[in-house]
Amino acid sequence: MSVIFDEYRATRDGLRYGFAVGKVRVLETRLLDRSALERLVDASSFAEQKRILSEGPYGRFLEGAETPAEVETALDAALDSAYGFLDEAGLPPAVVRFFRLRFDYANLKAALKASVVGVSLDGLMVAHGTVPIEAFSGPLERLPGALGRVAAESLAATRETDESSLMEIDSVVDRAMFAALREQAEEAGSPFLVEITRLLVDLGNLKTVVRALAAGIPAQRVETELLIDGGTVALVDLARIVRMPTPEAHAALERRFRLKGSPLTSDEAPDLDVIADNALVAAVRKGRRPEPGAEDVIAYVLAREAEAQVLRVALLGKMAGLDSAALHRRMRASFR
Amino acid sequence: MSETFLGMAGTQWALLGAGVAAILAGVGSAIGITAASSLISGVLSEDDTKFGQLLPLAAMPGTQGIYGFIVAVLVMVFFDLLGGNVKLTTEAGVAIFMACLPTGFLGLVTAIYQGRTAAASAGIVAAGKRAPALVFPALVETYAIFALIVTILMLLGLQQGFAG
């Protein structure tokens, strides 16, 4: 009986999302591949980078961009068009919320840290969320829904301004965000989004453990306060790793999270954001299926997010005067 | 066999068989074409240069509906149902109905799967690959043709036996 239901669902999804998936099949071919990224990184100047991108989908967004702020605005506009595609494709509202909610929580995290450290919010907020960024300038406890509750909980728990307190904010906000994302993924009925949520939890825990080891935070505190449940790697395993000496812990993390290329134990300082983004791109590639379904559209928008991040690093890095070698170290894997 | 079976006379069974073949295969074709066409329309909305390569993929699931139509016409022609005053025995009518089932049911199933295969194959064209995308949905077509041949052979046999 379940076979018949699966076949019915596959046929129904093909009819419902066929048009959007057809567009995705073409748009995927316009994503930047590895060689295009290499050319961007090796370009002699920002003007040369713009020339490389001019014939692709980013050309119209970057046309008048000359300063880092204008590049950020252009990439935000490009990303906004990708999120607009989610609405256009007729995906369930929960999928759209899944994408937008992450920005709400990222803004909340930035606002909480800014208020604890005592810095301005200028340039820290990102658009694309469900809550206008102006709302984060007021009392954070008054933010709508779960955001206000999380802000109150986080502010009550944070007294210091040291590294571990900032990690505490990360932990409280991330815990609430992953619960919200899981809820949206389940409401959308998308096993792929549920898997992506579990991966995001794993990557959050990976960063927490590496940073806690570097900051010398007691294992007991990491285990009870900072790690988040809901990933594919069990908390007991992570708790065991946190108690190991740092080199062994890094090697154990590489094995447990199946990280490619020994990024933690190599000589160079690990860039956790690069490791996390590469793991996410690898998971997104698996979202592509031969038969049309919502997953194709979700995977494409996630790929566009990853691509925007890569472009941000390449373009802003070049503007900041970073050499090609430094940019290569910060490059993420491409979707194609 | 009595004058009726499940309350229907022989001619009614024969007409039901013709209808089932035409309806089920037609429904399958409609679903299959929609599945392929909706994806192909999405591809063309971004790249209209591929129309020529994609049109056969969208049209392919339509053949099952044609097979169902052919079977329905053959039933009416072979057993003189177009002539008006026809009286088939219940045994003959039920046998004709059975003969129509392969084309009806296999037409329904293969048209839907062919539509899905055509949609997947459209991805090959969209990606700009040179592989012959038409081959894969054509493989599914084989089984619809087998069903049509089986139905025609059975109808020919029945025509010899009952109407000949």
Side-chain angles (χ1 to χ4, degrees):
Chain A
M1 198 64 190
S2 76
V3 174
I4 294 172
F5 183 70
D6 287 347
E7 292 304 305
Y8 162 74
R9 194 167 50 189
T11 306
R12 183 200 62 190
D13 284 356
L15 298 177
R16 186 180 292 173
Y17 303 118
F19 185 79
V21 174
K23 284 173 89 79
V24 165
R25 293 278 187 265
V26 178
L27 293 172
E28 274 175 354
T29 64
R30 296 175 189 161
L31 289 169
L32 297 169
D33 59 12
R34 191 73 220 168
S35 71
L37 293 180
E38 296 281 340
R39 278 188 290 133
L40 272 181
V41 169
D42 294 331
S44 56
S45 63
F46 173 66
E48 171 72 7
Q49 288 180 318
K50 267 175 69 174
R51 198 193 57 74
I52 293 169
L53 293 170
S54 63
E55 285 175 14
Y58 290 95
R60 67 189 168 101
F61 295 109
L62 287 165
E63 212 169 16
E66 295 299 337
T67 65
E70 285 168 353
V71 169
E72 289 278 9
T73 307
L75 292 177
D76 272 351
L79 209 47
D80 221 28
S81 76
Y83 295 134
F85 184 52
L86 284 173
D87 291 321
E88 198 185 305
L91 293 184
V95 174
V96 181
R97 281 199 300 276
F98 181 95
F99 279 90
R100 303 267 186 201
L101 274 176
R102 290 171 308 148
F103 294 99
D104 289 337
Y105 283 96
N107 284 339
L108 175 62
K109 205 187 275 186
L112 284 167
K113 287 181 181 178
S115 82
V116 169
V117 179
V119 295
S120 159
L121 278 178
D122 291 345
L124 294 177
M125 297 286 106
V126 280
H128 314 305
T130 62
V131 177
I133 54 175
E134 296 77 30
F136 292 90
S137 308
L140 296 174
E141 298 91 328
R142 292 201 191 149
L143 285 169
L147 290 172
R149 284 197 302 277
V150 175
E153 182 192 341
S154 188
L155 287 170
T158 312
R159 296 278 173 265
E160 313 286 329
T161 58
D162 60 357
E163 169 82 13
S164 70
S165 296
L166 297 180
M167 284 181 74
E168 178 81 32
I169 290 174
D170 282 337
S171 173
V172 170
V173 176
D174 283 348
R175 191 170 284 125
M177 178 181 74
F178 291 132
L181 292 184
R182 200 175 304 119
E183 192 183 312
Q184 298 303 324
E186 284 166 2
E187 192 183 321
S190 168
F192 177 59
L193 274 187
V194 172
E195 278 309 304
I196 290 290
T197 307
R198 286 162 67 85
L199 177 66
L200 290 173
V201 173
D202 279 342
L203 296 174
N205 282 337
L206 172 68
K207 288 180 187 175
T208 299
V209 172
V210 173
R211 285 171 185 159
L213 287 167
I217 296 170
Q220 176 70 25
R221 180 158 178 240
V222 177
E223 189 182 345
T224 55
E225 293 176 27
L226 301 182
L227 291 178
I228 298 168
D229 202 6
T232 59
V233 179
L235 290 189
V236 284
D237 290 347
L238 290 172
R240 202 165 42 238
I241 291 171
V242 171
R243 289 182 165 76
M244 294 176 179
T246 301
E248 283 87 342
H250 282 175
L253 285 170
E254 284 175 355
R255 282 195 305 276
R256 200 67 192 79
F257 287 91
R258 294 181 187 154
L259 301 178
K260 287 182 183 167
S262 312
L264 296 174
T265 51
S266 61
D267 291 338
E268 291 174 9
D271 188 328
L272 289 173
D273 290 330
V274 174
I275 294 168
D277 287 348
N278 286 347
L280 192 59
V281 166
V284 168
R285 280 203 199 102
K286 289 182 192 163
R288 291 198 287 194
R289 308 179 316 157
E291 290 203 84
E295 281 76 8
D296 297 276
V297 183
I298 294 167
Y300 170 71
V301 175
L302 286 168
R304 286 283 302 271
E305 280 185 346
E307 190 176 69
Q309 181 58 25
V310 170
L311 283 178
R312 187 166 281 123
V313 172
L315 300 178
L316 296 179
K318 190 65 72 178
M319 285 178 126
L322 288 180
D323 61 18
S324 295
L327 282 176
H328 273 294
R329 279 198 298 278
R330 289 172 174 77
M331 272 295 108
R332 276 77 168 159
S334 64
F335 181 70
R336 283 176 69 203
Chain B
M1 197 175 259
S2 63
E3 293 250 326
T4 62
F5 177 62
L6 297 176
M8 290 203 298
T11 306
Q12 289 169 319
W13 275 106
L15 287 170
L16 181 64
V20 161
I23 290 169
L24 291 185
V27 167
S29 282
I31 295 172
I33 288 175
T34 309
S37 299
S38 56
L39 191 136
I40 287 169
S41 302
V43 173
L44 291 175
S45 72
E46 292 293 332
D47 183 359
D48 57 6
T49 61
K50 295 193 161 73
F51 178 77
Q53 289 168 276
L54 292 170
L55 182 64
L57 289 173
M60 235 181 184
T63 52
Q64 283 84 343
I66 297 171
Y67 301 157
F69 170 74
I70 289 171
V71 165
V73 170
L74 286 180
V75 167
M76 289 188 276
V77 171
F78 282 1
F79 303 99
D80 226 4
L81 295 176
L82 296 172
N85 192 20
V86 184
K87 279 228 169 196
L88 283 171
T89 63
T90 308
E91 192 183 4
V94 172
I96 292 165
F97 171 76
M98 294 291 186
C100 292
L101 292 183
T103 297
F105 277 105
L106 219 58
L108 172 73
V109 174
T110 57
I112 293 172
Y113 278 99
Q114 196 172 42
R116 284 165 56 178
T117 312
S121 293
I124 299 174
V125 178
K129 306 290 181 192
R130 287 178 166 272
L134 206 57
V135 168
F136 305 105
L139 293 174
V140 185
E141 183 75 16
T142 315
Y143 300 94
I145 293 172
F146 287 163
L148 175 66
I149 292 170
V150 166
T151 294
I152 290 175
L153 291 176
M154 286 199 282
L155 289 177
L156 283 170
L158 289 170
Q159 189 198 25
Q160 298 294 319
F162 295 115

